Amino acid sequence: YKRRDYSKKKFSRYNYEFNMCIYEFENEKVAKNKFEILEKATNSGQGYCNKIFNTKFVLKKNEIFEFSTMDEKSLKVMRNYIYFIQNQ
């Protein structure tokens, strides 16, 4: 058995990772209906349905933005970007 050596190098940067998809619809009414369906689905099961794979939806006029990540470190960056999109 050989003992494994680990690198002592400290990484100064972390590459945050999240996905963003944009869905465009004919008008705002259709987008709102689809948004409500998506929100209901992701919040189903008393919130346990969406626990591991963090997915958030943002409705903006006739577009729905989908943000998702499995990386816990990237959640804060993803939420900041969601806030940026909502306030544009």
Side-chain angles (χ1 to χ4, degrees):
Y1 178 78
K2 185 179 177 186
R3 186 175 174 177
R4 186 178 208 171
D5 295 326
Y6 292 98
S7 173
K8 294 181 181 175
K9 181 179 179 183
K10 299 286 182 186
F11 294 102
S12 60
R13 274 185 69 193
Y14 183 80
N15 293 324
Y16 295 101
E17 190 175 295
F18 64 89
N19 297 321
M20 179 179 72
C21 298
I22 303 171
Y23 306 101
E24 186 177 2
F25 298 94
E26 303 87 36
N27 55 44
E28 292 180 28
K29 184 178 179 182
V30 173
K32 185 176 180 182
N33 289 337
K34 301 295 182 186
F35 178 76
E36 290 171 356
I37 292 169
L38 291 169
E39 280 293 303
K40 186 176 179 181
T42 56
N43 294 324
S44 65
Q46 297 173 344
Y48 292 109
C49 178
N50 195 23
K51 190 168 181 118
I52 295 172
F53 196 75
N54 296 299
T55 305
K56 304 289 183 205
F57 295 98
V58 176
L59 178 64
K60 190 77 172 177
K61 296 184 181 178
N62 68 328
E63 296 175 332
I64 296 176
F65 293 81
E66 176 189 4
F67 295 90
S68 59
T69 186
M70 290 184 73
D71 182 19
E72 292 290 327
K73 291 182 180 180
S74 299
L75 275 176
K76 183 176 179 184
V77 174
M78 185 179 84
R79 288 182 183 134
N80 287 341
Y81 201 77
I82 289 171
Y83 180 77
F84 173 76
I85 294 292
Q86 286 175 335
N87 293 312
Q88 285 294 314

